Amino acid sequence: MSTVLMWFRNDLRLHDQPALHAALTSGATHLMPVVCQPPVNQATRWGFARVGAHRRAFVAAALRDLGARMAAQGNPLQVCHAAPATALPALARAVGATTVVCEDIAAPYEQAEVAALRAAGLQVRTVWHSSLLQPADMPWPASDLPGVFTTFRQMVERAGITPPAPLTAPGALLPPPAVSADVLQTLGAGQGAVTAGVDAGNAAGQDTRSSFPYGTPACDGGETAALAHLAQYLARKLPHSYKATRNGLKGFHYSSKFSPWLATGALSARQVFADLTTFEREHGANDGTYWLWFELLWRDYFRLLHRQHGAALYRAQGLSALPLAPHNTPGFERWCQGRTGEPLVDAAMRELAATGYLSNRLRQVAASYLIHELHGDWRAGAAWFESLLVDYDLYSNQGNWLYIAGRGTDPRGGRRFNPVKQAQEHDADGSYRRLWGTL
């Protein structure tokens, strides 16, 4: 008997799961699927939780759904409340395993997790599968990624690069190995531990003002709801109106709302693209369907940027030689609390704190205000978004904050949004600001 550990990270699904496919075809006779949850009290350098209540609740829902799907195939997901460097070597010893298969994540914290497992003597096979396009299919080596997104997009389109077809969910899983209940208890493992530290009755997830009420069945965090949402979005032909409505500030239907499920991996970008391609074939393409491809390419660009620059993207200066401003701690606190005195920014920050969600337009406006008006440290803002957003994506979050701060690859040296002008253009009647009590 041989066992392989399948470590789920930001890929909480069974469809289009190359890492799981690699584990199932590794030659092992048994599979132990496991996920490691960060401690609830893990704090950032800025003094607040790295993973806040909204994100914990949404991820917990994704894990419940994944666990149920795997249990239906006879191999329940083990959820450990211990660091990977503690949990995975202990489980490997308990079941006689030497190999871990997992998603490859090109960020320093996540790379360090893998390095710690290898230092503990485990063989770790990482599989890259979070992007739409395969890095190996790009018409340049990783070190030569274009420094401007538009150039990247044009080169991809001219080269005719298309994503691989998504993998179907496995029809069967390998059986689980026998493991001592004492070992699982020591690691806080088990399906029942999924909701530890999460208020199952979290009313914030059902806030009627929210553009993504994650506590309702339609916005549940799991793969089941993700695939159902994708199907209904296409059935209602909403891709055709995406470009015209994507800058909305409130409501469920102004944007695709794919991002929460893409962020946890409950939905695969390749599955979205495959279904969108079928939609275009049956109903026609237009600016709206193209713009969904455009946004998925932006998502890929930030992933490839991480593969190119890695830890440099997490330095205070980023990739720039711009001087560093001292952090405005009182201003940052007012920004977090929605008390800056700028009505649109305050409304945005109140929505974020209350619901864990914020429109893309308002994320840009709020980030710009912290950086360019309050002279706050962009890293503090990025950490606040990481803590609160249900659709936190480490690649896109870091990339977008660098972009606004002018510390990424964009040649314009930052993006400054005038909140008064933005309110006039996107909230002319004041309805959004009134909704969040700032008018």
Side-chain angles (χ1 to χ4, degrees):
M1 181 187 91
S2 61
T3 298
V4 61
L5 271 59
M6 172 61 204
W7 175 26
F8 286 89
R9 304 178 84 187
N10 292 337
D11 51 357
L12 305 182
R13 64 180 185 270
L14 294 183
H15 75 277
D16 194 31
Q17 243 292 18
L20 178 58
H21 177 78
L24 294 175
T25 57
S26 65
T29 57
H30 291 72
L31 175 79
M32 171 161 276
V34 60
V35 68
C36 298
Q37 285 283 72
V40 173
N41 60 357
Q42 185 179 18
T44 69
R45 61 178 294 183
W46 312 100
F48 48 82
R50 180 169 177 250
V51 182
H54 296 302
R55 189 151 72 93
R56 286 202 314 274
F58 190 68
V59 172
L63 291 173
R64 284 194 294 272
D65 186 77
L66 179 61
R69 283 174 167 253
M70 300 195 78
Q73 294 198 31
N75 195 335
L77 176 68
Q78 297 296 335
V79 181
C80 295
H81 289 268
T86 299
L88 298 181
L91 288 173
R93 287 192 299 270
V95 300
T98 59
T99 301
V100 176
V101 179
C102 66
E103 176 191 3
D104 187 10
I105 301 176
Y109 182 89
E110 288 73 13
Q111 291 286 306
E113 288 182 322
V114 170
L117 295 181
R118 288 174 173 152
L122 290 174
Q123 299 174 27
V124 184
R125 178 180 176 186
T126 59
V127 181
W128 180 266
H129 62 204
S130 73
S131 59
L132 180 66
L133 303 174
Q134 290 283 65
D137 293 340
M138 296 296 103
W140 53 74
S143 59
D144 292 339
L145 178 73
V148 178
F149 168 73
T150 299
T151 304
F152 162 77
R153 175 183 58 80
Q154 291 171 343
M155 291 179 69
V156 166
E157 291 176 342
R158 281 199 298 267
I161 301 170
T162 57
L167 299 173
T168 57
L173 300 175
L174 296 172
V179 58
S180 165
D182 291 341
V183 172
L184 296 179
Q185 185 175 10
T186 300
L187 299 172
Q191 287 186 295
V194 170
T195 57
V198 176
D199 178 5
N202 187 356
Q206 301 173 25
D207 193 317
T208 56
R209 298 171 297 174
S210 176
S211 293
F212 190 81
Y214 62 83
T216 61
C219 298
D220 178 78
E223 179 180 13
T224 301
L227 293 173
H229 175 75
L230 174 60
Q232 69 83 28
Y233 185 81
L234 298 173
R236 298 175 63 199
K237 301 182 180 179
L238 292 178
H240 282 154
S241 59
Y242 173 74
K243 186 179 181 183
T245 63
R246 66 191 178 89
N247 280 320
L249 304 186
K250 58 186 174 69
F252 186 66
H253 298 298
Y254 68 79
S255 64
S256 73
K257 300 300 189 296
F258 296 156
S259 64
W261 291 294
L262 287 171
T264 62
L267 182 63
S268 157
R270 286 192 291 261
Q271 189 66 56
V272 172
F273 179 81
D275 290 0
L276 181 63
T277 300
T278 300
F279 173 88
E280 289 182 320
R281 189 162 54 245
E282 295 175 353
H283 304 289
N286 71 351
D287 284 350
T289 59
Y290 175 78
W291 218 256
L292 284 166
W293 154 258
F294 181 94
E295 297 292 359
L296 288 172
L297 275 186
W298 255 119
R299 181 177 178 273
D300 267 21
Y301 184 70
F302 287 140
R303 280 158 166 72
L304 297 174
L305 200 65
H306 271 71
R307 289 172 65 95
Q308 182 184 36
H309 293 289
L313 299 176
Y314 293 77
R315 302 180 305 191
Q317 68 270 34
L319 304 179
S320 168
L322 292 172
L324 300 178
H327 181 49
N328 179 357
T329 300
F332 175 67
E333 291 175 353
R334 293 196 307 273
W335 180 80
C336 292
Q337 296 164 7
R339 295 190 299 105
T340 68
E342 185 59 59
L344 185 65
V345 173
D346 289 348
M349 298 310 293
R350 292 179 189 184
E351 179 187 8
L352 175 60
T355 73
Y357 190 81
L358 194 61
S359 70
N360 181 64
R361 172 62 52 173
L362 288 174
R363 294 180 201 201
Q364 294 176 310
V365 173
S368 169
Y369 195 83
L370 175 66
I371 293 167
H372 300 297
E373 312 305 328
L374 296 176
H375 306 291
D377 192 316
W378 68 272
R379 296 171 301 165
W384 186 246
F385 275 24
E386 175 183 358
S387 180
L388 267 64
L389 285 169
V390 295
D391 63 346
Y392 167 71
D393 176 291
L394 68 91
Y395 300 108
S396 296
N397 190 62
Q398 201 74 5
N400 277 310
W401 276 91
L402 287 163
Y403 179 75
I404 298 294
R407 297 185 181 278
T409 58
D410 186 67
R412 283 178 52 177
R415 303 296 170 115
R416 193 170 195 158
F417 289 77
N418 181 329
V420 174
K421 182 174 183 289
Q422 292 293 314
Q424 291 170 345
E425 292 181 353
H426 300 289
D427 188 38
D429 62 359
S431 60
Y432 176 79
R433 285 164 288 170
R434 282 192 296 272
L435 182 66
W436 294 102
T438 60
L439 275 189

